[in-house]
Amino acid sequence: MLTQVAEGVLIHESEFCQSNAVVVQGRGGVLLIDPGVHEDEMNCLANDLSELGRTVVAGFSTHPHWDHLLWHAGLGTAPRYGTARCAATARDRLSAGVDAVAKAAGIPEGVSLDLLGLITGLPAGTTQIPWDGPGVRIIEHQAHAPGHAALLIEECGVLVAGDTLSDVLIPMLDLNGPADPIEEYLSALRLLEDAAGDVEVVVPGHGSVGGADQVRARIDQDRAYVLALRDGKDPSDPRIGPSAKPGWEWVSDVHLGQLQHLRQ
Ligand SMILES: [Zn+2]
Protein backbone atom coordinates (compact mmCIF):
# COMPACT_ATOMS: atom_id res chain seq x y z
CA MET A 1 0.00 0.00 0.00
CA LEU A 2 1.29 3.42 -0.95
CA THR A 3 0.78 6.29 1.46
CA GLN A 4 1.19 9.90 0.44
CA VAL A 5 3.45 11.89 2.78
CA ALA A 6 3.64 15.08 0.72
CA GLU A 7 2.48 16.31 -2.67
CA GLY A 8 4.01 13.88 -5.17
CA VAL A 9 5.82 11.77 -2.57
CA LEU A 10 4.56 8.37 -1.44
CA ILE A 11 5.98 5.67 0.77
CA HIS A 12 5.64 1.89 0.86
CA GLU A 13 6.42 0.37 4.24
CA SER A 14 8.01 -3.04 4.71
CA GLU A 15 7.43 -5.43 7.58
CA PHE A 16 11.19 -5.83 7.76
CA CYS A 17 12.39 -3.27 10.32
CA GLN A 18 9.72 -0.80 9.27
CA SER A 19 11.72 0.02 6.13
CA ASN A 20 10.40 2.82 3.98
CA ALA A 21 10.58 2.77 0.20
CA VAL A 22 10.03 6.24 -1.21
CA VAL A 23 8.31 7.05 -4.51
CA VAL A 24 8.74 10.52 -6.02
CA GLN A 25 6.50 11.50 -8.92
CA GLY A 26 8.27 12.95 -11.92
CA ARG A 27 7.08 13.99 -15.36
CA GLY A 28 7.52 10.71 -17.22
CA GLY A 29 7.51 8.29 -14.31
CA VAL A 30 8.72 7.89 -10.75
CA LEU A 31 11.99 7.86 -8.86
CA LEU A 32 12.17 4.96 -6.42
CA ILE A 33 14.45 5.29 -3.40
CA ASP A 34 15.42 2.16 -1.40
CA PRO A 35 12.73 -0.07 -2.99
CA GLY A 36 12.10 -2.43 -0.10
CA VAL A 37 13.07 -5.80 1.27
CA HIS A 38 10.76 -8.81 0.89
CA GLU A 39 10.08 -10.03 -2.60
CA ASP A 40 6.29 -10.05 -2.14
CA GLU A 41 6.36 -6.49 -0.83
CA MET A 42 8.33 -5.22 -3.79
CA ASN A 43 5.95 -7.13 -6.04
CA CYS A 44 3.06 -5.35 -4.29
CA LEU A 45 4.80 -2.01 -4.83
CA ALA A 46 5.32 -2.82 -8.52
CA ASN A 47 1.60 -3.64 -8.83
CA ASP A 48 0.57 -0.46 -6.99
CA LEU A 49 2.69 1.60 -9.37
CA SER A 50 1.36 -0.10 -12.45
CA GLU A 51 -2.23 0.43 -11.26
CA LEU A 52 -1.42 4.12 -10.98
CA GLY A 53 0.02 3.97 -14.49
CA ARG A 54 3.49 4.94 -13.28
CA THR A 55 6.72 3.42 -14.44
CA VAL A 56 9.97 3.61 -12.55
CA VAL A 57 12.38 5.83 -14.50
CA ALA A 58 15.17 5.92 -11.92
CA GLY A 59 16.18 4.15 -8.73
CA PHE A 60 18.43 5.27 -5.90
CA SER A 61 20.05 3.45 -2.97
CA THR A 62 20.86 5.66 0.00
CA HIS A 63 23.74 3.47 1.16
CA PRO A 64 25.54 0.18 0.50
CA HIS A 65 23.74 -2.06 3.01
CA TRP A 66 21.82 -4.99 1.58
CA ASP A 67 18.39 -3.83 2.75
CA HIS A 68 18.79 -0.67 0.65
CA LEU A 69 20.26 -2.35 -2.44
CA LEU A 70 17.48 -4.67 -3.50
CA TRP A 71 15.31 -4.57 -6.60
CA HIS A 72 12.51 -6.56 -8.21
CA ALA A 73 12.09 -7.48 -11.89
CA GLY A 74 8.56 -6.05 -11.81
CA LEU A 75 10.01 -2.61 -11.15
CA GLY A 76 11.63 -2.60 -14.57
CA THR A 77 15.09 -1.86 -15.81
CA ALA A 78 15.55 1.84 -15.07
CA PRO A 79 19.04 3.00 -14.08
CA ARG A 80 19.69 2.57 -10.37
CA TYR A 81 22.00 5.07 -8.77
CA GLY A 82 23.96 5.67 -5.59
CA THR A 83 26.87 7.90 -4.73
CA ALA A 84 30.20 6.90 -6.27
CA ARG A 85 31.44 5.67 -2.91
CA CYS A 86 28.22 3.77 -2.23
CA ALA A 87 28.43 1.98 -5.59
CA ALA A 88 32.13 1.20 -5.18
CA THR A 89 31.53 -0.22 -1.70
CA ALA A 90 28.61 -2.34 -2.88
CA ARG A 91 30.67 -3.68 -5.77
CA ASP A 92 33.55 -4.43 -3.48
CA ARG A 93 31.44 -6.32 -0.95
CA LEU A 94 29.58 -8.24 -3.63
CA SER A 95 32.79 -9.32 -5.32
CA ALA A 96 32.91 -12.18 -2.80
CA GLY A 97 29.58 -13.39 -4.24
CA VAL A 98 25.99 -12.76 -3.23
CA ASP A 99 25.79 -15.92 -1.11
CA ALA A 100 28.75 -14.89 1.02
CA VAL A 101 27.15 -11.48 1.58
CA ALA A 102 23.81 -13.07 2.45
CA LYS A 103 25.46 -15.34 5.00
CA ALA A 104 27.57 -12.62 6.58
CA ALA A 105 24.67 -10.19 6.82
CA GLY A 106 22.11 -12.76 7.97
CA ILE A 107 19.67 -11.88 5.21
CA PRO A 108 16.29 -13.46 6.06
CA GLU A 109 14.15 -15.80 3.97
CA GLY A 110 11.82 -14.26 1.42
CA VAL A 111 14.41 -11.89 0.06
CA SER A 112 15.39 -12.31 -3.56
CA LEU A 113 19.01 -11.41 -4.14
CA ASP A 114 18.97 -11.66 -7.94
CA LEU A 115 19.22 -7.92 -8.52
CA LEU A 116 21.10 -7.01 -5.35
CA GLY A 117 23.48 -4.09 -5.61
CA LEU A 118 23.35 -3.47 -9.35
CA ILE A 119 23.75 0.27 -9.01
CA THR A 120 25.64 2.87 -10.97
CA GLY A 121 27.75 5.33 -9.03
CA LEU A 122 27.07 8.98 -9.84
CA PRO A 123 30.27 10.95 -10.40
CA ALA A 124 31.80 12.05 -7.08
CA GLY A 125 30.43 15.42 -6.02
CA THR A 126 27.11 15.04 -7.88
CA THR A 127 24.60 17.19 -6.00
CA GLN A 128 21.35 16.32 -7.82
CA ILE A 129 19.85 13.03 -8.96
CA PRO A 130 19.78 13.07 -12.77
CA TRP A 131 16.15 12.54 -13.67
CA ASP A 132 13.10 14.30 -15.13
CA GLY A 133 11.25 15.29 -11.97
CA PRO A 134 11.45 17.60 -8.96
CA GLY A 135 15.02 18.40 -7.93
CA VAL A 136 16.42 15.91 -5.47
CA ARG A 137 19.51 17.18 -3.69
CA ILE A 138 22.11 14.63 -2.61
CA ILE A 139 23.59 15.28 0.80
CA GLU A 140 26.48 12.86 1.01
CA HIS A 141 28.18 12.05 4.27
CA GLN A 142 30.12 9.17 5.81
CA ALA A 143 27.97 8.37 8.86
CA HIS A 144 26.52 4.84 9.15
CA ALA A 145 27.98 3.61 5.83
CA PRO A 146 30.43 4.72 3.13
CA GLY A 147 28.91 7.14 0.65
CA HIS A 148 25.65 7.44 2.58
CA ALA A 149 23.25 9.92 0.99
CA ALA A 150 20.36 11.78 2.51
CA LEU A 151 18.07 13.21 -0.15
CA LEU A 152 16.26 16.52 0.00
CA ILE A 153 13.28 17.00 -2.30
CA GLU A 154 13.31 20.75 -2.05
CA GLU A 155 10.07 21.52 -3.88
CA CYS A 156 7.96 19.70 -1.30
CA GLY A 157 10.24 19.88 1.75
CA VAL A 158 10.81 16.16 2.17
CA LEU A 159 14.04 14.85 3.65
CA VAL A 160 14.72 11.18 2.91
CA ALA A 161 17.16 10.45 5.69
CA GLY A 162 18.43 6.93 4.95
CA ASP A 163 19.58 5.25 8.15
CA THR A 164 19.64 8.38 10.31
CA LEU A 165 16.91 10.38 12.10
CA SER A 166 14.84 7.34 13.03
CA ASP A 167 12.41 7.21 15.93
CA VAL A 168 13.22 3.54 16.55
CA LEU A 169 16.84 3.03 15.53
CA ILE A 170 19.75 4.73 17.28
CA PRO A 171 22.63 6.10 15.22
CA MET A 172 24.49 3.02 14.05
CA LEU A 173 28.07 4.04 13.51
CA ASP A 174 30.28 2.78 10.71
CA LEU A 175 32.77 1.25 13.11
CA ASN A 176 34.92 -0.43 10.48
CA GLY A 177 35.32 2.51 8.15
CA PRO A 178 36.33 6.04 9.06
CA ALA A 179 39.16 6.79 11.47
CA ASP A 180 36.77 8.74 13.68
CA PRO A 181 33.23 7.38 13.27
CA ILE A 182 31.90 9.65 16.01
CA GLU A 183 33.16 12.79 14.27
CA GLU A 184 31.82 11.54 10.91
CA TYR A 185 28.41 11.09 12.47
CA LEU A 186 28.43 14.53 14.08
CA SER A 187 29.46 16.18 10.84
CA ALA A 188 26.65 14.34 9.00
CA LEU A 189 24.18 15.68 11.54
CA ARG A 190 25.53 19.19 10.93
CA LEU A 191 24.87 18.76 7.19
CA LEU A 192 21.34 17.59 7.90
CA GLU A 193 20.82 20.51 10.24
CA ASP A 194 21.94 22.93 7.53
CA ALA A 195 19.35 21.41 5.20
CA ALA A 196 16.58 21.21 7.80
CA GLY A 197 15.28 24.78 7.45
CA ASP A 198 12.59 24.07 4.89
CA VAL A 199 11.93 20.45 5.71
CA GLU A 200 8.28 19.63 6.42
CA VAL A 201 8.53 15.85 6.39
CA VAL A 202 11.33 13.49 7.36
CA VAL A 203 11.29 9.91 6.08
CA PRO A 204 13.80 7.64 7.82
CA GLY A 205 15.04 4.43 6.20
CA HIS A 206 13.44 2.60 9.12
CA GLY A 207 10.74 3.93 11.43
CA SER A 208 7.96 6.48 11.39
CA VAL A 209 7.61 9.46 9.12
CA GLY A 210 7.92 12.71 11.08
CA GLY A 211 6.64 16.25 10.57
CA ALA A 212 8.52 19.55 10.68
CA ASP A 213 8.88 19.51 14.47
CA GLN A 214 10.36 16.02 14.30
CA VAL A 215 13.20 16.98 11.97
CA ARG A 216 15.06 19.06 14.53
CA ALA A 217 13.98 16.86 17.43
CA ARG A 218 15.47 13.80 15.73
CA ILE A 219 18.69 15.61 14.80
CA ASP A 220 19.02 16.65 18.47
CA GLN A 221 18.19 13.15 19.67
CA ASP A 222 20.73 11.52 17.36
CA ARG A 223 23.39 14.06 18.35
CA ALA A 224 22.71 13.56 22.06
CA TYR A 225 23.12 9.82 21.58
CA VAL A 226 26.39 10.14 19.66
CA LEU A 227 27.81 12.60 22.21
CA ALA A 228 26.86 10.33 25.10
CA LEU A 229 28.53 7.42 23.31
CA ARG A 230 31.67 9.50 22.77
CA ASP A 231 31.79 10.58 26.41
CA GLY A 232 30.89 7.15 27.81
CA LYS A 233 27.77 8.57 29.47
CA ASP A 234 24.31 7.05 29.78
CA PRO A 235 22.49 8.20 26.64
CA SER A 236 19.07 7.89 28.37
CA ASP A 237 17.62 7.46 24.91
CA PRO A 238 14.00 6.28 24.56
CA ARG A 239 15.01 3.99 21.68
CA ILE A 240 17.01 1.75 24.02
CA GLY A 241 16.18 -0.01 27.26
CA PRO A 242 12.65 -0.64 28.54
CA SER A 243 11.21 2.30 26.57
CA ALA A 244 12.21 0.78 23.20
CA LYS A 245 9.26 0.12 20.88
CA PRO A 246 8.01 -3.49 20.88
CA GLY A 247 10.03 -5.45 18.36
CA TRP A 248 12.99 -3.10 18.64
CA GLU A 249 14.49 -4.44 21.87
CA TRP A 250 17.53 -5.64 19.90
CA VAL A 251 18.59 -2.03 19.42
CA SER A 252 19.81 -2.08 23.03
CA ASP A 253 22.30 -4.79 22.05
CA VAL A 254 23.50 -2.66 19.16
CA HIS A 255 24.05 0.15 21.66
CA LEU A 256 26.06 -2.09 23.99
CA GLY A 257 28.12 -3.35 21.05
CA GLN A 258 28.94 0.19 19.98
CA LEU A 259 29.84 1.18 23.52
CA GLN A 260 32.17 -1.79 23.85
CA HIS A 261 33.80 -1.22 20.49
CA LEU A 262 34.57 2.41 21.28
CA ARG A 263 36.01 1.53 24.69
CA GLN A 264 38.62 -0.76 23.15
ZN1 LIG B 1 18.87 -0.05 6.80
Side-chain angles (χ1 to χ4, degrees):
M1 189 187 68
L2 281 163
T3 310
Q4 177 157 321
V5 296
E7 184 70 43
V9 183
L10 305 122
I11 63 163
H12 196 267
E13 195 184 293
S14 168
E15 276 186 16
F16 176 84
C17 290
Q18 212 183 330
S19 307
N20 294 307
V22 181
V23 172
V24 187
Q25 282 175 7
R27 276 167 282 275
V30 304
L31 164 70
L32 178 56
I33 305 161
D34 293 351
V37 179
H38 291 125
E39 192 172 4
D40 58 336
E41 292 170 342
M42 274 192 282
N43 195 25
C44 165
L45 170 59
N47 289 337
D48 289 352
L49 289 173
S50 94
E51 271 167 32
L52 292 171
R54 315 262 175 206
T55 48
V56 179
V57 293
F60 191 90
S61 288
T62 57
H63 61 285
H65 288 163
W66 70 269
D67 52 325
H68 301 260
L69 290 170
L70 294 157
W71 197 257
H72 185 277
L75 297 168
T77 55
R80 296 161 55 193
Y81 302 116
T83 64
R85 205 186 278 209
C86 169
T89 304
R91 202 165 37 244
D92 215 39
R93 291 182 181 164
L94 285 164
S95 63
V98 170
D99 291 343
V101 171
K103 208 170 161 204
I107 299 178
E109 297 280 301
V111 177
S112 166
L113 302 173
D114 294 348
L115 299 168
L116 179 74
L118 304 179
I119 59 169
T120 302
L122 294 169
T126 303
T127 56
Q128 295 276 328
I129 294 184
W131 82 301
D132 186 17
V136 181
R137 200 208 302 177
I138 299 171
I139 303 168
E140 182 178 349
H141 57 75
Q142 309 307 324
H144 184 65
H148 190 295
L151 301 173
L152 179 63
I153 311 160
E154 281 163 298
E155 212 171 287
C156 51
V158 175
L159 179 66
V160 179
D163 282 5
T164 67
L165 311 188
S166 169
D167 60 329
V168 281
L169 210 51
I170 50 171
M172 289 163 75
L173 275 56
D174 184 7
L175 294 170
N176 304 310
D180 189 345
I182 293 270
E183 191 39 53
E184 289 295 353
Y185 217 102
L186 293 172
S187 85
L189 291 173
R190 283 193 291 273
L191 288 177
L192 296 178
E193 196 162 42
D194 290 343
D198 298 320
V199 174
E200 299 288 334
V201 178
V202 56
V203 184
H206 309 278
S208 319
V209 174
D213 57 326
Q214 278 291 302
V215 182
R216 280 185 192 282
R218 290 188 190 184
I219 291 171
D220 290 346
Q221 182 171 254
D222 275 3
R223 183 183 292 121
Y225 173 82
V226 174
L227 290 174
L229 200 59
R230 182 191 68 186
D231 300 339
K233 293 195 176 126
D234 173 13
S236 58
D237 190 300
R239 296 168 293 186
I240 48 183
S243 52
K245 262 199 188 170
W248 292 87
E249 293 82 0
W250 57 273
V251 174
S252 299
D253 294 334
V254 173
H255 165 61
L256 291 175
Q258 298 197 124
L259 201 59
Q260 250 169 25
H261 185 104
L262 291 166
R263 276 193 187 138
Q264 279 168 13

